[in-house]
Amino acid sequence: MHVEDLLRLESLDLTLLWGDGPQLTREISGVTATDLEDPGRFLQRDELVLSGLVWWAPVDDEAKAERFVAALHGAGAAALLAGEETHGGVPEVLVDACRRHGIAILSVPVHTSFRAVTDTVYLRQWGDLSRRPAAPYALPENVRAELSRLLADGADPDTLLTRAVAHLGTPPAYVLSATGRTVARTPTAPRLSVRRAATARTAPTSLSVDPDATPYGQWQLHLPEPVDVPPRMLHEIAEVLAQHRQEAIRRERTTRGLATDLLALIDTPSPTASAPAPLRTALHACGLPDQGPYTVITSAGPDGDDALDALTEALHHLTDRAFAVGRLPTGEPAAVIGPGTGADTTPAPATDTIATLKNLWPTLQSRNPDVPLHGGISTPVATPQNLKGALTQARYALTAARATKGPGAPGGTGASDGTGASAGTKAPAPAPAARLTAIDELTTLDALLTGIPADVRTAFGIHALGRLADDTNPSHRMLLETLDVFLAHNGSWARTAEALHLHVNTVHYRIQRVELLTGRDLARLDHKLDLKAALLCR
C-alpha cells in the first residue's frame, strides 16, 4: 500500500497538506502512533506516523516542530498523519518543516480515528487468502474464503477458530498463550484453568501458531482429541490464526506508542506531570478512564520487545482490567493498570491484581528461564496527578525485587548468624531469583533497604561504619561479627556472650571498640538502628 492510496479512501477523508510524487508513491511498511517530541528511536523505516500533536503548543517556536520532523526523516518515515483535534488544525510550522525534510504530511479530521487509519493500512496489506490458488491447500476453498472474509472483518479469535474447524464437526479446540491463557476456544471445548492450559499447550496435539514470536508471545493451537485430517489442514488453520495474531501485534504496537507517550508524561519532572488535562487526554488515548484507582507496574529482565511481551502477557490475565504497556523515557517497560470491575460491578481490590500476577510470575519466568524477570508494583492511586508517585513506588519495588537474593536472605550482611562463624568467610551471594515485589510488602527495615540502589547502600554502609567498614582487617571482621550478634540479641550482653562463647567482659570490650571506631553510642536506639541498617547494606 502506498501513501497516495490513503488519499483515495473517502472513508478516511484525509487532506494532503504537502507531498509530491516520490513521497506519495512510497510503500507503507506499518503504522506507529506517537506524541513524543522525539519519536525517532521507536520508528521503523517506511512507517506512517500518526500524531495528535499533543507535544506542540501555539507558544512553541519553530525549532520544536523542526526537531520532531527531523526525527521522522532520520528514521525513514513514509509520511506524517497529523490530527486536527488538538489545535483545530495542523500548525503551518509543522507543514513547513515537513516540506524542508521531504516528508509528506496529511491532516486527519476530527471524525476520523487513528484506529480507522491503522486498520485500513493493515487490512489492505494482508490481501485476501482466497486470492491464492487452491491446489496447494488442504482446506476447502469455501472455508478459506470464509476465513479470509472473517479476517478482513476483524473477527474475534473465538469466531475464527470455531469457523476454521466447523467442517471437521467442530471438535474441542483451543488457542493458548505462552502462559496458559485461553485466547480462544470452540463452544464444545470446556474451560481450562491456567495450570491445565499451560500443560496442554505442550501436548503432542498442539501446534505452534507463530513460531517466530518471542517466548512470551507464542500461541499454540491445541486439539485435545485426535482429529482424522491431513496435518497440512491443521497447519493452514494455524496460518489463519497467525494472520489474526499479526494484526493483533500491529495494533499492540500502536497502543504501546500511546502508552509510551503516557508514561513519558507521568515521568516528566515539569509541572505538566501534575496537570490533569494532558494526563486525562493521554489516559483516554490508551483506553483508560480519567479516574482511578490506578496501579503502576515496572519490570526488568529480557532485552528488546521480549520485556514488553512478557509484561503484556502477564497483564492479559487481568481479565477485568484495562491496561497500557509501553516504555519509560529511561527504556524500562512499565504499565498503568486501570480500575477493575468484578462480576458484581464493584471495583476489584488491588490485592486480587497482585495475587494474580504473583501466581503467574513463575510460569512467565519459565518461558525464558535463562533471564531472571523482575517486577515492581505500586499501591493504587486515586487520580491522574498521583501517577507520578505511583511510578516512583513501582521503581522502588522493582529495585527491591532485583536486589533480593532469595527466600530467607533479603539482604545479607556477611556477619555471623550467631553460630560463631567468622564474619570474614562470606558465602558467595546467590544470583537474584525472578521476583515480583509489591511496594506494600516492604514492611521491614531489611526489605525497605533492598529498594535503595546498590551504590547508595554501599556508600551508606561505609560512612555509617566508619573505620570499621574495612573488613580486610581481621580485628574489624571480629568486631563486625560481635556487633551483628549483639544487635540480633537486642543488646543483651549475656545472650551475646552465650551465642559467641565469650565472657561478658569481652563482649563489653568489643562493643566499646565498635563505638570508638564508628562514633556511635549503642545505648541510643537511633544509633543502634543506624548500625543495623549499615550492616544490612553491606
Side-chain angles (χ1 to χ4, degrees):
M1 186 176 191
H2 302 92
V3 175
E4 62 185 359
D5 294 331
L6 294 172
L7 292 168
R8 299 191 182 105
L9 298 175
E10 294 182 4
S11 59
L12 297 182
D13 195 22
L14 304 179
T15 301
L16 178 64
L17 301 180
W18 183 84
D20 54 21
Q23 285 79 30
L24 298 181
T25 55
R26 286 188 66 168
E27 188 166 352
I28 299 168
S29 66
V31 184
T32 289
T34 182
D35 265 309
L36 291 177
E37 185 179 340
D38 184 2
R41 61 195 174 115
F42 299 106
L43 303 180
Q44 302 287 333
R45 186 167 185 81
D46 294 324
E47 281 189 322
L48 284 180
V49 178
L50 301 176
S51 178
L53 308 184
V54 174
W55 54 269
W56 188 85
V59 296
D60 291 331
D61 57 20
E62 185 178 315
K64 199 166 188 179
E66 179 70 19
R67 285 195 297 272
F68 179 82
V69 178
L72 270 56
H73 179 265
L80 169 63
L81 273 64
E84 297 179 351
E85 183 174 6
T86 303
H87 304 292
V90 178
E92 192 60 36
V93 292
L94 188 61
V95 178
D96 291 341
C98 287
R99 185 180 293 110
R100 285 192 296 272
H101 287 279
I103 299 285
I105 178 169
L106 289 69
S107 66
V108 183
V110 175
H111 56 268
T112 299
S113 68
F114 282 3
R115 170 73 175 273
V117 176
T118 302
D119 287 354
T120 297
V121 171
Y122 288 130
L123 288 174
R124 286 286 297 273
Q125 284 185 333
W126 289 343
D128 191 340
L129 285 177
S130 63
R131 293 178 193 163
R132 294 187 277 184
Y137 296 97
L139 277 175
E141 185 174 354
N142 65 314
V143 174
R144 285 188 289 110
E146 180 186 16
L147 295 178
S148 174
R149 178 183 57 77
L150 290 171
L151 277 173
D153 291 343
D156 60 81
D158 280 326
T159 301
L160 271 177
L161 179 62
T162 300
R163 297 310 304 159
V165 300
H167 67 291
L168 305 178
T170 315
Y174 301 86
V175 177
L176 304 173
S177 77
T179 57
R181 177 171 55 91
T182 298
V183 178
R185 64 188 177 96
T186 59
T188 56
R191 293 184 181 275
L192 292 179
S193 67
V194 171
R195 184 183 297 274
R196 284 189 61 196
T199 303
R201 67 183 304 279
T202 61
T205 53
S206 293
L207 181 65
S208 178
V209 168
D210 189 1
D212 296 328
T214 66
Y216 312 98
Q218 292 175 356
W219 284 4
Q220 297 286 127
L221 171 62
H222 173 63
L223 281 75
E225 300 173 2
V227 179
D228 188 18
V229 298
R232 176 59 187 156
M233 185 175 291
L234 295 180
H235 279 279
E236 288 180 28
I237 292 173
E239 284 181 24
V240 172
L241 294 166
Q243 294 220 26
H244 172 83
R245 173 70 173 144
Q246 287 304 311
E247 187 270 347
I249 289 172
R250 287 163 180 147
R251 288 181 178 174
E252 205 164 73
R253 283 190 61 194
T254 301
T255 304
R256 284 178 180 177
L258 295 171
T260 295
D261 294 345
L262 169 63
L263 292 167
L265 200 58
I266 293 170
D267 200 30
T268 180
S270 72
T272 308
S274 61
L279 279 174
R280 287 193 175 112
T281 299
L283 286 165
H284 286 164
C286 294
L288 295 170
D290 58 9
Q291 283 297 319
Y294 310 104
T295 306
V296 175
I297 179 171
T298 59
S299 69
D303 296 329
D305 287 343
D306 286 26
L308 290 173
D309 286 349
L311 185 54
T312 301
E313 174 59 25
L315 296 181
H316 271 307
H317 284 261
L318 306 177
T319 54
D320 65 337
R321 290 178 179 257
F323 59 86
V325 177
R327 288 190 184 277
L328 291 159
T330 48
E332 319 120 83
V336 177
I337 307 170
T341 303
D344 59 358
T345 71
T346 58
T351 51
D352 288 356
T353 296
I354 294 171
T356 298
L357 294 176
K358 276 186 169 290
N359 288 336
L360 175 71
W361 215 252
T363 302
L364 196 66
Q365 175 62 45
S366 69
R367 297 303 94 203
N368 190 3
D370 296 332
V371 184
L373 181 65
H374 305 292
I377 311 177
S378 75
T379 56
V381 296
T383 66
Q385 296 95 304
N386 299 133
L387 282 167
K388 174 74 171 178
L391 174 58
T392 301
Q393 289 181 5
R395 279 175 160 161
Y396 196 95
L398 174 61
T399 303
R402 298 177 75 171
T404 302
K405 302 297 189 296
T413 67
S416 167
D417 59 3
T419 63
S422 170
T425 57
K426 291 194 243 184
R435 188 177 297 272
L436 178 66
T437 298
I439 194 70
D440 58 10
E441 294 177 65
L442 306 184
T443 56
T444 66
L445 176 62
D446 194 1
L448 182 67
L449 291 173
T450 59
I452 297 174
D455 291 345
V456 177
R457 287 165 53 93
T458 300
F460 174 78
I462 290 172
H463 290 293
L465 292 172
R467 284 183 286 168
L468 200 59
D470 178 17
D471 61 3
T472 60
N473 183 320
S475 174
H476 290 179
R477 291 200 299 271
M478 176 188 65
L479 293 176
L480 284 172
E481 177 189 21
T482 304
L483 172 62
D484 186 33
V485 176
F486 181 72
L487 294 175
H489 288 86
N490 301 315
S492 169
W493 305 100
R495 283 186 289 156
T496 302
E498 181 181 358
L500 293 173
H501 308 291
L502 297 172
H503 192 278
V504 172
N505 289 344
T506 303
V507 175
H508 275 280
Y509 169 75
R510 289 185 180 182
I511 293 301
Q512 288 172 359
R513 289 285 298 160
V514 168
E515 291 176 326
L516 177 65
L517 291 171
T518 62
R520 309 280 172 157
D521 179 1
L522 284 170
R524 292 178 52 176
L525 177 60
D526 57 338
H527 285 195
K528 286 180 182 177
L529 288 174
D530 290 343
L531 291 180
K532 180 63 176 178
L535 289 175
L536 291 171
C537 284
R538 296 183 69 245

